[in-house]
Amino acid sequence: MKLKFGSTEENVVTREEFPLEKAREVLKDEVIAVLGYGVQGPGQALNLKDNGFNVIVGQRKGSKTWDKAVADGWVPGETLFELEEACEKGTILQFLLSDAGQIALWPTVKKHLTPGKALYFSHGFGVTYKDKTGIIPPADVDVILVAPKGSGTSLRRMFVEGRGLNSSYAIYQDGTGRAYDRVVALGIGVGSGYLFETDFYREVTSDLTGERGTLMGAIQGIFAAQYEVLRSNGHTPSEAFNETVEELTQSLMPLVAENGMDWMYANCSTTAQRGALDWWKPFRDATKPVFEELYASVKSGQEAQKSIDSNSKDDYRVKLEAELKELRDSEMWQAGAVVRQLRPENN
């Protein structure tokens, strides 16, 4: 169906329009091979299995994620296989390895993309930046995308709670004439609340911008800036953390999620409302040039290249853990650990 978002009309698929029963019928003869059991793999694989689809998992034997798959109920030799064997068995290959992992495994995956199969992504990176990744699918397969708008952990949690996480969907290549039905059925099967249409390029450029921007990078930067200003002016760690992070995540953002920013403002004091209305535009004006610089870096391919170069190094995991440790050990997040312990539900 078509829905208006503001003044723009977009294509949206809902569960009412494309129910789970229809999705099962579309995919009844398919073997869905989920390749990779790291970030998105567990949530999507388990949701598909619980929704009644024929799912197998491909993972490197002996890895921690292989052990996690076994712990989650996947059976070696029955529903859990080495990556190449899963590629051979699957008719739909859900390519859910990291971007660097996809580059490394692509020759193996390509070998098993026989005519009529489908290659599924949850990120447009590999195909959009094919000049950097070498991922160029054959012409006689479907190339499709379902990108849940959240982590694999959130996708699974919301599914178990009987809710759904919205997702985008895209068709890069319709090699069989069945790409639309396949991609929408898979989107419903993984637990999407609804699906909105995009393309591979728009998905990856918006996603890379969001991750580096308000979803992860910018919000940490804003948290750190406010926390440091409060601490430098004599506020205690607990007070600075509560006024910077805890109140936002525990009280205010749920109101935004429920009914929008104006609803959250309306449920705060008149003093808070006045301050927020006075200051949001100066913050927009101060940060917009940084977002423009960020988007230009994404659009040029610089962010993709940095990701490939960094994530392909043998010591990537070691360096990543050191960077995460720096965040974890900072005073702000050490204060946060204590604050979280003090929440009523944790006592």
Side-chain angles (χ1 to χ4, degrees):
M1 68 171 66
K2 289 187 178 295
L3 291 177
K4 274 196 170 182
F5 292 79
S7 60
T8 302
E9 196 171 66
E10 299 186 37
N11 290 322
V12 172
V13 182
T14 66
R15 291 175 177 178
E16 290 73 24
E17 179 185 355
F18 205 106
L20 184 58
E21 293 74 18
K22 183 176 180 179
R24 290 192 187 113
E25 179 64 24
V26 168
L27 301 177
K28 65 181 180 181
D29 297 323
E30 306 276 13
V31 177
I32 304 167
V34 176
L35 308 177
Y37 208 74
V39 177
Q40 279 289 335
Q44 293 199 33
L46 290 168
N47 291 1
L48 283 163
K49 183 177 75 168
D50 288 350
N51 270 333
F53 297 92
N54 184 12
V55 187
I56 62 174
V57 170
Q59 187 54 51
R60 293 179 181 86
K61 192 171 185 178
S63 64
K64 290 181 180 179
T65 43
W66 175 281
D67 295 339
K68 174 175 169 51
V70 171
D72 284 347
W74 303 98
V75 181
E78 295 181 17
T79 55
L80 176 61
F81 302 92
E82 289 273 10
L83 284 160
E84 182 158 8
E85 189 173 359
C87 290
E88 184 178 3
K89 290 179 178 294
T91 59
I92 297 174
L93 306 186
Q94 292 199 192
F95 208 8
L96 301 183
L97 294 167
S98 68
D99 295 322
Q102 288 183 11
I103 295 170
L105 192 68
W106 174 242
T108 300
V109 172
K110 185 177 181 181
K111 180 170 64 173
H112 294 288
L113 278 175
T114 50
K117 287 193 176 186
L119 180 62
Y120 165 113
F121 294 88
S122 282
H123 190 27
F125 190 102
V127 169
T128 299
Y129 300 114
K130 57 183 179 293
D131 57 324
K132 303 178 187 297
T133 66
I135 297 177
I136 303 173
D140 50 9
V141 302
D142 294 338
V143 183
I144 55 182
L145 174 147
V146 173
K149 298 298 106 180
S151 71
T153 300
S154 299
L155 182 71
R156 181 60 179 168
R157 283 179 181 172
M158 293 176 77
F159 178 87
V160 171
E161 292 168 359
R163 301 161 62 201
L165 194 65
N166 62 300
S167 303
S168 60
Y169 76 93
I171 299 169
Y172 181 82
Q173 179 174 287
D174 187 358
T176 68
R178 297 186 293 124
Y180 176 82
D181 280 351
R182 275 172 146 176
V183 72
V184 174
L186 288 161
I188 297 299
V190 300
S192 303
Y194 70 90
L195 298 153
F196 64 91
E197 186 178 31
T198 187
D199 59 43
F200 275 59
Y201 174 80
R202 285 191 291 129
E203 190 285 327
V204 73
T205 49
S206 61
D207 192 62
L208 291 179
T209 301
E211 290 166 349
R212 287 150 181 75
T214 59
L215 301 178
M216 297 174 69
I219 197 166
Q220 165 62 18
I222 289 170
F223 282 166
Q226 179 170 302
Y227 182 89
E228 289 168 12
V229 167
L230 289 172
R231 288 289 289 125
S232 68
N233 281 278
H235 297 273
T236 64
S238 65
E239 185 170 60
F241 186 85
N242 274 293
E243 293 295 341
T244 300
V245 179
E246 189 75 353
E247 185 173 349
L248 175 69
T249 59
Q250 298 302 298
S251 173
L252 302 182
M253 289 312 293
L255 293 175
V256 177
E258 181 181 311
N259 212 21
M261 188 65 76
D262 63 310
W263 171 250
M264 185 266 274
Y265 281 15
N267 281 276
C268 293
S269 71
T270 55
T271 301
Q273 291 169 10
R274 183 70 270 142
L277 290 167
D278 287 346
W279 277 93
W280 80 262
K281 289 179 182 178
F283 276 109
R284 177 200 60 192
D285 295 344
T287 59
K288 191 174 180 182
V290 181
F291 282 101
E292 288 171 340
E293 180 184 352
L294 165 60
Y295 194 83
S297 184
V298 169
K299 190 174 181 179
S300 70
Q302 289 180 346
E303 293 302 309
Q305 192 61 58
K306 281 193 276 187
S307 178
I308 291 169
D309 291 345
S310 172
N311 298 355
S312 298
K313 292 178 179 177
D314 292 338
D315 62 351
Y316 165 70
R317 291 287 175 188
V318 175
K319 289 183 176 179
L320 172 65
E321 180 52 37
E323 290 179 289
L324 293 177
K325 186 175 185 300
E326 181 183 354
L327 277 179
R328 188 166 57 247
D329 290 348
S330 68
E331 185 191 82
M332 180 172 70
W333 290 110
Q334 287 293 302
V338 178
V339 169
R340 287 192 298 275
Q341 291 172 4
L342 294 172
R343 289 175 187 164
E345 66 269 24
N346 294 330
N347 288 283

